Amino acid sequence: MIKKNYDSDFCGSLPLHQINLIQPYGYLFVANKSDLRIIQASENVNDLLGEPVDQVVGKSLEQFIRQEEADLLKGRFGSGIDEKVPLTINLTRSDAARRYIALVHVKSDYVVLEVEEAGDESTFLDVFQELKYVMAEINRAETVAAASKVVVEQLKKLSGFDKILMYQFDEQWNGTVIAEVKEDGMEEYLGHKFPASDIPKQARKLYLKNSYRLIPSREYTPVKLYPVINPVSNTFIDLSDCNLRAVAAVHLEYMKNMKIRASMSVRVIRDDKLWGLISCHHKEPMYLNYEMCSVFELLSSVISNKISSLESGEEYQFVNSLQEKKTQIIENVYSEKDLVAGMLKQDLKITDLFSAEGAAVSYRGSIETTGEVPDNEELKNLIYWLQSKPEDKVYHTSNLSSEYDFGSAFSKQASGMISIPVNADRGEYIMMFRPEVVTTVKWGGNPDEAINFDSNGVKYHPRSSFGSWQEVVKQTAKAWKEEEVEVAENLRSFIFEYSAKTL
Ligand code: BLA
């Protein structure tokens, strides 16, 4: 078990939205909604407009864009859409051939525009056919692994990134690389786990607002905003949904340690929750124009839907088979007119319902068992211990010895336990056991060294190596699924009633 959790404690509390700086691959304007007067802008607007920022601020955006574009922009204000909407603009002051994309964020008091040079007009059409093919390939995949492999391979072809991987979060927000394509000589992360603090919770939360995060070069000079304080809100402007937002220093160092200069990560969402990320690496700086980022965005929603439907399908089948087995066991109890015989003595036993290797039923003064279970004395002591738990709730663990002091003695056959209280006062329980499965977890670098503080205790650094670091996990069984715990709860209600009727 890894010991430290920097996710919620330290890394998770770094404020990302108030960084007040942007990356230099675009320009930022904040303007009044009423007259489009610019109230704040990034200091690099000089490159775009040929006027220093202190002269640009105070003027109206209408002085720089065409009237029809200004009208279109104003038209967006009342739409009620709170997502950033792209708008193509042509700057009247610059080379007429250059088109720009403005990402418009309509806020209650002002509007924020992120401006980037537009790509070649044909870019999207060029990739369109390729995209249709990729979408068909993704949809044909029959497993999450296969769909992930297709998406990383195809995105690598389309974008030219040196490495693309699919990263899936677990319940503790650690993540595992489940698909990877890369150039030769780059470190392999396939099958490796990374601790939650590598992408701490506030960084993960931003993917619910933004479908991707692009860092074209870690060696950039951040651009300040002018004036520093937003004159309407009198605070730093909230940049959380801006693509251009500058990058947290710790992550830039992380990229350096991973030996990459550019990165992009794209969300995979399931049931409104971040399921995973498609992470792209490049050894050299790599800029993707807005059109290409949109391709990633589109494929992110295609793969998200595919993964959702594959997983829902699997869950549906699993729940169905659990329900069928549960019904059969209840029928067995009725036909046998005996709880113990119905659960343990038929072709389909309660161990089959819970994919357990052993079960013990302590009922009406005796303990009957099937399969691999602790010995009788051990079972009795375990029951005393269970009596200290809530009497009206199923208890389950996949690491009994970490919760029950004497559990190590029988962890071979019973590292996992799910127990249904029938009548706790009388020590009546139905217990299912799963054996120990020793596993080796390959981490991308030692997770206990995920963050290292300098001796002054103020400065900190991410780990410097991502080489395979193995953790051997013992005394742990295959985890109980949520659906299995629910079935155990259903069964508890049935047994409770059955037992009351047959007293
Ligand atoms: C951001 N960390 C990220 C991001 C990724 C990772 C994908 C999003 C930005 C990006 O796309 O580059 C991590 N990248 C990974 C992992 C893999 C990968 C795990 O490819 C797996 C192969 N990071 C640390 C520590 C802290 C930390 C110790 O290592 C905190 C103290 C923080 N990571 C951190 C922060 C961000 C981040 C704050 C957000 C950076 C930003 O958006 O400005």
Side-chain angles (χ1 to χ4, degrees), residues 65-73:
I65 58 178
R66 294 181 186 158
Q67 192 53 50
E68 62 265 30
E69 289 163 358
D71 292 343
L72 262 179
L73 180 59

Side-chain angles (χ1 to χ4, degrees), residues 6 10-12 14 16 19 163 165 167 175 177 180 189 194-195 197-200 202-203 206-207 213-215 245-251 254-255 258 260 263-266 277-281 450-452 460-463 466:
Y6 295 112
F10 184 81
C11 303
L14 299 175
L16 298 179
I19 197 159
K163 180 195 263 194
L165 48 90
Y167 187 74
V177 177
E180 180 182 52
Y189 297 141
F194 292 74
S197 55
D198 283 19
I199 319 169
Q202 80 287 38
L206 291 177
Y207 292 95
R213 176 81 168 127
L214 171 66
I215 306 170
R245 177 172 53 84
V247 187
V250 62
H251 186 56
Y254 186 93
M255 288 172 69
M258 270 199 170
I260 54 171
S263 83
M264 177 165 183
S265 46
V266 191
L277 289 174
I278 300 168
S279 175
C280 315
H281 295 178
I451 180 164
N452 301 296
Y460 54 89
H461 308 275
R463 64 193 177 288
F466 297 92

